[in-house]
């Protein structure tokens, strides 16, 4: 049942993105920023945590989950480090995911022959 919950919630988040693409003139980058900021705001309001508890990876894998992780990292860092945590908490909480994205992107570039678009 956990897979169904993750699929449905993750799918609904993707449907929202697809609707934004189809019905507005927003660019991909702006929609991505909207998702990250939405995750931060919903996390700050205490609404995204219960969604993560319910849907698991269906809520943490999309970019809204990245925003949630940023917000939670800042919250924890402020409790332990004080106001310096505002600057360090988000980066510390998401460092593993960012490092993995850079590593696998580089590995992909080594294996395949990337070309710039003309």
């Amino acid at each position: 049942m956990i897979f169904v919950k993750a699929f449905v919630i993750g799918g609904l988040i993707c449907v929202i993105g697809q609707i934004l693409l189809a019905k507005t003139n927003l660019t991909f980058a702006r929609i991505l920023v909207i998702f990250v900021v939405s995750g931060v705001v919903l996390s700050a309001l205490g609404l995204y945590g219960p969604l993560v508890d319910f849907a698991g990876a269906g809520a943490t894998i999309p970019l809204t989950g990245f925003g949630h992780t940023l917000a939670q990292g800042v919250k924890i860092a402020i409790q332990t480090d004080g106001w310096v945590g505002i600057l360090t908490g988000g980066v510390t909480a998401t460092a593993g995911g960012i490092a993995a994205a850079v590593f696998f992107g580089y590995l992909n570039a080594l294996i395949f022959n990337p070309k710039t678009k003309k």
Side-chain angles (χ1 to χ4, degrees), residues 4-86:
V4 174
K5 291 179 191 177
F7 179 78
V8 169
I9 298 301
L12 287 174
I13 293 171
C14 292
V15 164
I16 292 169
Q18 191 62 44
I19 290 170
L20 287 172
L21 277 174
K23 300 293 183 185
T24 67
N25 290 328
L26 294 172
T27 62
F28 293 114
R30 289 183 179 171
I31 292 171
L32 296 177
V33 169
I34 288 170
F35 276 161
V36 173
V37 172
S38 298
V40 170
V41 170
L42 290 172
S43 181
L45 295 174
L47 301 174
Y48 208 80
L51 186 63
V52 169
D53 294 339
F54 175 76
T60 57
I61 298 299
L63 279 176
T64 50
F66 181 73
H68 170 69
T69 304
L70 284 171
Q72 293 304 306
V74 169
K75 180 180 169 185
I76 292 168
I78 287 174
Q79 292 171 352
T80 60
D81 301 331
W83 290 102
V84 176
I86 292 174

Side-chain angles (χ1 to χ4, degrees), residues 63 66 69-70 88-106:
L63 279 176
F66 181 73
T69 304
L70 284 171
T88 61
V91 176
T92 304
T94 58
I98 293 170
V102 170
F103 173 75
F104 288 113
Y106 181 71

